[in-house]
Amino acid sequence: MTRPEALTGDASYAVVIPTLGRPSLGACLHALAEAGGPGPVRVVLVDDRPATGGVPLTADVPPSLRARTIVVPGGARGPAAARNLGWRAAGDVPWIVFLDDDVVPGPTWGDDLTLDLAAATGRTAGITARIQVPPPVDRRPTDWERNRAGLAAARWITADMACRRAALTAVGGFDERFRRAFREDADLALRMLDADWALAVGRRTTTHPVRPAGRLISVRLQARNADDVLMTRLHGRHWWRRAEAHRGRLPLHLAVTGAGVTALGCALLGRQRAAAACAAAWLAGTAEFALARIVPGPGTRDEVFTVTVTSALVPPAATWHWLRGRVAHRKARRYGPFGSGDPAPAPRPAVRERLRS
C-alpha cells in the first residue's frame, strides 16, 4: 500500500478497527498493509478487551503501518462504543473506514476504496464494501456457516464501511445502547437516511472468513432479539423493510415456546388432553425447525446432534431475550447527536446510490 500522501484532501481516510485481540487481527492488518493503492493517514485500534495485561495490540501491526497506528482503550463496552471512540480519535480526516478485526481486505482494496471515495457525492454518508464469505469446498455448510454466509447479503454492514466524518458528527455516531455486533450498523444507516444523507455500495471487496464457534452459538445469538426490540422502539414496526434486514423466525419461536409452556401448565393442572395437544404442537414445531436446519447441512452425526439439541433450546432463548428487550427498552428514545436523546425527525424515504452495478 502506498503512502497516504498520494491521496487528495477530500479522499484521505483513517481506518478504525475495534478488536478483542483475536488472532485474526494480524491477518487483517497485514492485508491492509499489502493492499494496492493509497493508504490510510491513520489506523486506530480500539482495544475493547475486558481486562488489561494481554499481548499488546501493536505486536500485530506490520512495520509499514506502525508510524500511523494508535491504540485507544475501549473499556469493553461493545463495538458501537468502540467505533465512536475510534472515529473521534482518528483526527480531522474526511472519511473513516470501519473494519472488523476478522476481515481480510482484498489485494486491490486501497485502489478500489480511492475510486469509491472519488465517486461519492456531497451527500454520500457511507459506502459499503462487497463482503465475500468463503464457503467450505468439500462439503455442504453447517448451520453456523450458513448463518455467517448471510453477511454477504447484509446491507450497510460495518465489517467494512466507509463513513463521512461530517455525517457521523451530524447524527452523533453509533448508538451505544447496541452492545453487541448486531443492528448498530442498520440503526446508523437509518438515522443517516432520515437526516437526508445517502448510502452507497462500493466496488472494493473484503473477505469475511468463518471463524470457529461452540456448539451453543445459535442459542447465544438469540440475545440479538433484544436488539431487534430496540430497533422497533427507535424506528417503528417496519424498520426491517427499510433496512432490508432479515426478519428471522421470532413469531414461530414465540408460538413454539407458548405451546411448550402451555403443555407444562396443563399437565400441572391435570388437563391431560390439552397438555398432550400442546405438547404435540411443541414437538411438531421443534421438529420442523430442526429439519429446516439439518437438511441443507453436511448431515454429519456431530452436526445433526448439535442442531437437534439447539433446536429445542433456541425458541425459549429467543422468547426470553425478546421479553427482556421489551422491558429494558420500553422507554427508549431516538438517539440524537452525541447521545443527547433528542427526538429525530420523522423518517424520510431512503436515498441510495450505487457506485458500480
Side-chain angles (χ1 to χ4, degrees), residues 127-326:
I127 309 170
T128 61
R130 298 170 186 266
I131 303 299
Q132 299 176 342
V133 183
V137 296
D138 56 347
R139 55 171 173 78
R140 289 185 291 181
T142 63
D143 182 66
W144 167 242
E145 290 166 342
R146 294 194 305 276
N147 178 286
R148 295 292 84 190
L151 295 173
R155 286 289 192 180
W156 326 132
I157 183 172
T158 42
D160 183 342
M161 165 73 91
C163 288
R164 192 183 295 274
R165 183 183 182 88
L168 288 169
T169 302
V171 301
F174 291 88
D175 189 333
E176 298 180 11
R177 289 172 292 187
F178 292 94
R179 298 295 296 268
R180 283 166 289 275
F182 189 68
R183 299 306 190 207
E184 85 288 356
D185 46 8
D187 169 75
L188 178 68
L190 291 181
R191 285 189 286 115
M192 285 179 168
L193 293 172
D194 291 344
D196 285 335
W197 291 92
L199 298 172
V201 178
R203 68 177 62 214
R204 67 193 186 280
T205 59
T206 295
T207 300
H208 198 307
V210 180
R211 65 178 185 270
R215 288 183 181 273
L216 297 180
I217 182 62
S218 59
V219 180
R220 295 197 298 271
L221 289 179
Q222 299 314 307
R224 295 173 168 183
N225 284 284
D227 299 313
D228 280 348
V229 172
L230 178 56
M231 285 293 290
T232 301
R233 295 293 191 203
L234 300 179
H235 300 287
R237 289 191 309 141
H238 302 299
W239 67 265
W240 53 275
R241 292 179 182 171
R242 297 182 60 224
E244 300 180 46
H246 180 56
R247 195 174 190 183
R249 294 177 58 107
L250 179 62
L252 293 175
H253 291 332
L254 296 176
V256 169
T257 302
V261 171
T262 304
L264 290 175
C266 289
L268 291 174
L269 294 174
R271 298 183 176 181
Q272 301 304 323
R273 185 173 298 177
C278 290
W282 172 85
L283 182 60
T286 302
E288 182 275 330
F289 182 39
L291 287 173
R293 301 168 67 200
I294 291 172
V295 170
T300 62
R301 180 181 300 179
D302 186 70
E303 173 73 358
V304 171
F305 174 78
T306 298
V307 169
T308 300
V309 172
T310 56
S311 292
L313 299 176
V314 162
T319 301
W320 162 251
H321 288 293
W322 177 75
L323 291 172
R324 179 178 61 82
R326 299 271 294 184

